[in-house]
Amino acid sequence: MDIPVWLEAGLWGLLAGGALIMGAGVAWVVDVPARVVAGIMAFGAGVLISALSFDLVEEAERTGGLGPTLAGFLAGTLVYVAANAALARRGARHRKRSGAERSPRQSSESGQPGSGLAIAVGALLDGVPESTVLGLSLLGGGGVGVSVLAAVFISNLPEGLSSAAGMKRAGRSAGYVFGVWTAVAVASGVAGAAGVLLLAGASAAVVALITAVAAGAILAMVADTMVPEAFAEEQGSTGLLVALGFAVAFTIGRL
Protein backbone atom coordinates (compact mmCIF):
# COMPACT_ATOMS: atom_id res chain seq x y z
CA MET A 1 0.00 0.00 0.00
CA ASP A 2 1.31 3.43 -0.93
CA ILE A 3 2.03 5.72 1.99
CA PRO A 4 1.01 9.40 1.90
CA VAL A 5 3.60 11.70 0.37
CA TRP A 6 3.82 13.81 3.54
CA LEU A 7 4.59 10.72 5.61
CA GLU A 8 7.22 9.58 3.12
CA ALA A 9 8.80 13.04 3.28
CA GLY A 10 8.83 12.86 7.07
CA LEU A 11 10.51 9.46 7.05
CA TRP A 12 13.21 10.64 4.65
CA GLY A 13 13.81 13.67 6.85
CA LEU A 14 14.02 11.41 9.90
CA LEU A 15 16.51 9.16 8.11
CA ALA A 16 18.70 12.10 7.15
CA GLY A 17 18.50 13.49 10.68
CA GLY A 18 19.32 10.06 12.08
CA ALA A 19 22.84 10.46 10.70
CA LEU A 20 23.39 13.04 13.45
CA ILE A 21 22.60 10.42 16.10
CA MET A 22 24.87 7.90 14.37
CA GLY A 23 27.74 10.38 14.35
CA ALA A 24 27.15 11.30 17.99
CA GLY A 25 27.13 7.62 18.96
CA VAL A 26 30.48 7.03 17.28
CA ALA A 27 32.00 10.11 18.94
CA TRP A 28 30.76 9.05 22.36
CA VAL A 29 32.42 5.62 22.32
CA VAL A 30 35.38 6.12 19.97
CA ASP A 31 38.04 8.84 20.01
CA VAL A 32 37.98 9.64 16.31
CA PRO A 33 40.99 11.74 15.23
CA ALA A 34 40.02 15.35 14.64
CA ARG A 35 41.67 15.34 11.20
CA VAL A 36 39.46 12.43 10.12
CA VAL A 37 36.33 14.26 11.25
CA ALA A 38 37.52 17.42 9.51
CA GLY A 39 38.15 15.52 6.30
CA ILE A 40 34.65 14.05 6.30
CA MET A 41 33.26 17.49 7.12
CA ALA A 42 35.07 19.01 4.12
CA PHE A 43 33.82 16.24 1.84
CA GLY A 44 30.26 16.74 3.15
CA ALA A 45 30.51 20.48 2.51
CA GLY A 46 31.36 19.82 -1.13
CA VAL A 47 28.45 17.39 -1.44
CA LEU A 48 26.05 19.98 -0.06
CA ILE A 49 27.34 22.73 -2.33
CA SER A 50 26.81 20.53 -5.38
CA ALA A 51 23.33 19.48 -4.30
CA LEU A 52 22.12 23.00 -3.58
CA SER A 53 23.63 24.29 -6.83
CA PHE A 54 22.15 21.76 -9.24
CA ASP A 55 19.27 20.10 -7.40
CA LEU A 56 17.88 23.09 -5.50
CA VAL A 57 18.74 26.48 -6.96
CA GLU A 58 18.88 25.40 -10.60
CA GLU A 59 15.64 23.45 -10.27
CA ALA A 60 13.95 26.32 -8.45
CA GLU A 61 14.91 28.74 -11.21
CA ARG A 62 13.73 26.35 -13.91
CA THR A 63 10.30 25.82 -12.38
CA GLY A 64 9.61 29.10 -10.61
CA GLY A 65 11.66 31.73 -12.38
CA LEU A 66 14.76 33.75 -11.59
CA GLY A 67 13.06 36.42 -9.48
CA PRO A 68 11.52 34.17 -6.79
CA THR A 69 14.65 32.05 -6.73
CA LEU A 70 17.02 34.95 -6.12
CA ALA A 71 14.67 36.55 -3.60
CA GLY A 72 14.32 33.33 -1.64
CA PHE A 73 18.03 32.51 -1.81
CA LEU A 74 19.09 35.90 -0.47
CA ALA A 75 16.36 35.86 2.19
CA GLY A 76 17.41 32.43 3.41
CA THR A 77 21.04 33.51 3.57
CA LEU A 78 20.26 36.69 5.52
CA VAL A 79 17.96 34.93 7.99
CA TYR A 80 20.52 32.20 8.68
CA VAL A 81 23.41 34.64 9.09
CA ALA A 82 21.40 36.82 11.49
CA ALA A 83 20.18 33.85 13.54
CA ASN A 84 23.64 32.30 13.61
CA ALA A 85 25.19 35.56 14.80
CA ALA A 86 22.64 35.81 17.61
CA LEU A 87 23.33 32.24 18.70
CA ALA A 88 27.10 32.79 18.49
CA ARG A 89 26.83 35.57 21.08
CA ARG A 90 25.10 33.08 23.39
CA GLY A 91 27.77 30.42 23.19
CA ALA A 92 26.97 28.44 20.02
CA ARG A 93 29.72 29.85 17.80
CA HIS A 94 31.75 26.63 17.88
CA ARG A 95 28.87 24.15 18.05
CA LYS A 96 30.39 21.99 15.29
CA ARG A 97 33.86 22.04 16.80
CA SER A 98 35.23 18.83 18.27
CA GLY A 99 37.34 20.64 20.84
CA ALA A 100 40.64 19.29 19.55
CA GLU A 101 43.92 21.01 20.30
CA ARG A 102 44.14 23.14 17.15
CA SER A 103 40.55 24.37 17.04
CA PRO A 104 38.50 26.50 19.47
CA ARG A 105 36.49 24.56 21.98
CA GLN A 106 32.75 24.68 22.50
CA SER A 107 31.53 26.78 25.42
CA SER A 108 30.74 24.86 28.59
CA GLU A 109 27.62 25.56 30.62
CA SER A 110 29.73 26.63 33.59
CA GLY A 111 31.81 28.94 31.43
CA GLN A 112 28.85 30.49 29.61
CA PRO A 113 25.42 29.78 31.10
CA GLY A 114 22.79 29.21 28.44
CA SER A 115 25.28 27.99 25.86
CA GLY A 116 23.80 24.49 25.97
CA LEU A 117 20.42 25.76 24.82
CA ALA A 118 22.07 27.95 22.19
CA ILE A 119 23.96 24.95 20.81
CA ALA A 120 20.75 22.91 20.68
CA VAL A 121 18.90 25.70 18.86
CA GLY A 122 21.87 26.11 16.52
CA ALA A 123 21.75 22.42 15.64
CA LEU A 124 18.07 22.83 14.85
CA LEU A 125 18.82 25.90 12.73
CA ASP A 126 21.35 23.87 10.73
CA GLY A 127 19.16 20.80 10.24
CA VAL A 128 15.66 22.04 9.42
CA PRO A 129 16.34 23.69 6.01
CA GLU A 130 17.98 20.50 4.73
CA SER A 131 15.02 18.33 5.65
CA THR A 132 12.52 20.83 4.30
CA VAL A 133 14.00 20.58 0.81
CA LEU A 134 13.87 16.78 1.04
CA GLY A 135 10.11 17.08 1.48
CA LEU A 136 9.83 19.61 -1.33
CA SER A 137 11.69 17.27 -3.68
CA LEU A 138 8.72 14.87 -3.46
CA LEU A 139 6.13 17.39 -4.61
CA GLY A 140 6.87 16.78 -8.28
CA GLY A 141 5.92 13.13 -7.96
CA GLY A 142 9.32 11.82 -9.02
CA GLY A 143 10.45 10.50 -5.65
CA VAL A 144 12.98 11.90 -3.22
CA GLY A 145 16.00 13.68 -4.68
CA VAL A 146 18.72 11.05 -4.26
CA SER A 147 21.61 13.48 -4.49
CA VAL A 148 19.99 15.82 -1.97
CA LEU A 149 19.32 12.93 0.42
CA ALA A 150 22.90 11.70 0.06
CA ALA A 151 24.23 15.22 0.59
CA VAL A 152 22.24 15.78 3.78
CA PHE A 153 23.08 12.34 5.20
CA ILE A 154 26.81 12.61 4.41
CA SER A 155 27.03 16.11 5.90
CA ASN A 156 25.04 15.21 9.02
CA LEU A 157 27.29 12.30 9.97
CA PRO A 158 30.47 14.34 10.64
CA GLU A 159 28.37 17.16 12.10
CA GLY A 160 26.95 14.85 14.75
CA LEU A 161 30.37 13.30 15.32
CA SER A 162 32.28 16.54 15.67
CA SER A 163 29.64 18.38 17.71
CA ALA A 164 29.12 15.45 20.09
CA ALA A 165 32.87 15.16 20.66
CA GLY A 166 32.97 18.84 21.52
CA MET A 167 29.95 18.55 23.82
CA LYS A 168 31.60 15.64 25.62
CA ARG A 169 34.83 17.58 26.11
CA ALA A 170 32.81 20.57 27.37
CA GLY A 171 31.41 18.35 30.14
CA ARG A 172 27.89 17.80 28.83
CA SER A 173 26.15 14.56 29.72
CA ALA A 174 25.20 11.70 27.41
CA GLY A 175 21.55 12.49 28.11
CA TYR A 176 22.03 16.05 26.87
CA VAL A 177 24.05 15.08 23.81
CA PHE A 178 21.74 12.33 22.58
CA GLY A 179 18.66 14.28 23.63
CA VAL A 180 19.74 17.18 21.40
CA TRP A 181 20.43 15.02 18.36
CA THR A 182 17.31 12.92 18.80
CA ALA A 183 15.24 16.10 19.01
CA VAL A 184 16.91 17.49 15.89
CA ALA A 185 16.34 14.21 14.02
CA VAL A 186 12.64 14.25 14.96
CA ALA A 187 12.40 17.92 13.99
CA SER A 188 14.01 17.04 10.65
CA GLY A 189 11.28 14.49 10.04
CA VAL A 190 8.61 17.03 10.97
CA ALA A 191 10.22 19.61 8.66
CA GLY A 192 10.21 17.16 5.78
CA ALA A 193 6.53 16.35 6.29
CA ALA A 194 5.64 20.02 6.77
CA GLY A 195 7.28 20.92 3.46
CA VAL A 196 4.77 18.68 1.71
CA LEU A 197 1.70 19.42 3.85
CA LEU A 198 2.07 23.19 3.66
CA LEU A 199 3.07 23.49 0.01
CA ALA A 200 1.10 20.75 -1.73
CA GLY A 201 -0.88 22.55 -4.41
CA ALA A 202 1.18 25.74 -4.12
CA SER A 203 2.28 27.52 -7.27
CA ALA A 204 5.64 26.76 -8.82
CA ALA A 205 6.86 30.24 -7.89
CA VAL A 206 6.05 29.69 -4.20
CA VAL A 207 7.73 26.28 -4.12
CA ALA A 208 10.76 27.76 -5.87
CA LEU A 209 10.86 30.60 -3.34
CA ILE A 210 10.81 28.26 -0.33
CA THR A 211 13.33 25.89 -1.92
CA ALA A 212 15.66 28.82 -2.56
CA VAL A 213 15.24 30.07 1.03
CA ALA A 214 16.39 26.68 2.29
CA ALA A 215 19.26 26.61 -0.24
CA GLY A 216 20.47 30.02 0.88
CA ALA A 217 20.41 28.94 4.52
CA ILE A 218 22.31 25.73 3.70
CA LEU A 219 25.03 27.59 1.78
CA ALA A 220 25.45 30.08 4.64
CA MET A 221 25.69 27.16 7.08
CA VAL A 222 28.37 25.49 4.96
CA ALA A 223 30.42 28.69 4.77
CA ASP A 224 29.96 29.75 8.39
CA THR A 225 30.34 26.43 10.22
CA MET A 226 31.34 23.39 8.15
CA VAL A 227 34.26 24.77 6.14
CA PRO A 228 35.83 26.63 9.11
CA GLU A 229 35.68 23.46 11.21
CA ALA A 230 37.28 21.43 8.44
CA PHE A 231 39.99 24.01 7.75
CA ALA A 232 40.86 24.36 11.44
CA GLU A 233 42.03 20.75 11.54
CA GLU A 234 42.77 19.76 7.91
CA GLN A 235 44.23 22.85 6.30
CA GLY A 236 46.35 21.02 3.73
CA SER A 237 43.59 19.14 1.94
CA THR A 238 40.34 20.95 2.76
CA GLY A 239 39.98 22.38 -0.75
CA LEU A 240 40.67 19.02 -2.37
CA LEU A 241 38.14 17.19 -0.19
CA VAL A 242 35.46 19.83 -0.82
CA ALA A 243 36.07 19.46 -4.56
CA LEU A 244 35.87 15.67 -4.32
CA GLY A 245 32.57 15.89 -2.45
CA PHE A 246 31.22 18.25 -5.10
CA ALA A 247 32.30 15.89 -7.90
CA VAL A 248 30.75 12.83 -6.24
CA ALA A 249 27.41 14.55 -5.63
CA PHE A 250 27.37 15.96 -9.15
CA THR A 251 27.97 12.45 -10.53
CA ILE A 252 25.19 10.98 -8.38
CA GLY A 253 22.82 13.66 -9.60
CA ARG A 254 23.60 12.99 -13.23
CA LEU A 255 23.37 9.20 -12.91
Side-chain angles (χ1 to χ4, degrees):
M1 183 177 65
D2 292 338
I3 64 173
V5 176
W6 65 267
L7 180 57
E8 181 183 355
L11 292 174
W12 284 122
L14 184 62
L15 173 64
L20 294 165
I21 303 174
M22 291 174 57
V26 172
W28 200 259
V29 299
V30 179
D31 187 15
V32 181
R35 292 189 65 180
V36 173
V37 179
I40 302 172
M41 187 81 74
F43 183 85
V47 171
L48 276 179
I49 292 171
S50 177
L52 70 87
S53 298
F54 299 105
D55 296 282
L56 301 182
V57 176
E58 184 178 60
E59 180 65 16
E61 190 279 329
R62 185 184 66 80
T63 59
L66 183 61
T69 300
L70 287 178
F73 187 80
L74 293 176
T77 302
L78 290 172
V79 168
Y80 180 90
V81 169
N84 193 49
L87 290 169
R89 291 193 294 271
R90 289 164 174 77
R93 179 181 302 278
H94 302 303
R95 60 183 178 273
K96 284 184 170 62
R97 298 295 172 93
S98 63
E101 292 297 325
R102 290 169 57 189
S103 62
R105 293 178 180 268
Q106 289 185 19
S107 299
S108 64
E109 196 64 30
S110 59
Q112 186 168 358
S115 60
L117 178 60
I119 289 171
V121 175
L124 192 64
L125 177 69
D126 296 339
V128 166
E130 299 170 340
S131 297
T132 300
V133 296
L134 280 176
L136 294 179
S137 71
L138 291 167
L139 288 178
V144 69
V146 175
S147 56
V148 178
L149 176 62
V152 174
F153 192 92
I154 291 171
S155 65
N156 278 348
L157 191 63
E159 178 180 347
L161 201 160
S162 183
S163 296
M167 291 175 186
K168 185 178 181 180
R169 289 191 174 97
R172 292 190 164 87
S173 67
Y176 173 83
V177 172
F178 290 101
V180 165
W181 293 126
T182 299
V184 173
V186 172
S188 297
V190 172
V196 170
L197 288 172
L198 297 177
L199 294 173
S203 68
V206 171
V207 174
L209 178 70
I210 302 301
T211 300
V213 166
I218 292 170
L219 183 58
M221 182 269 290
V222 169
D224 283 355
T225 61
M226 291 185 71
V227 172
E229 162 61 14
F231 187 76
E233 297 294 341
E234 189 58 76
Q235 298 179 11
S237 58
T238 299
L240 174 62
L241 291 168
V242 171
L244 286 174
F246 185 97
V248 169
F250 180 78
T251 302
I252 292 173
R254 290 301 178 267
L255 293 178

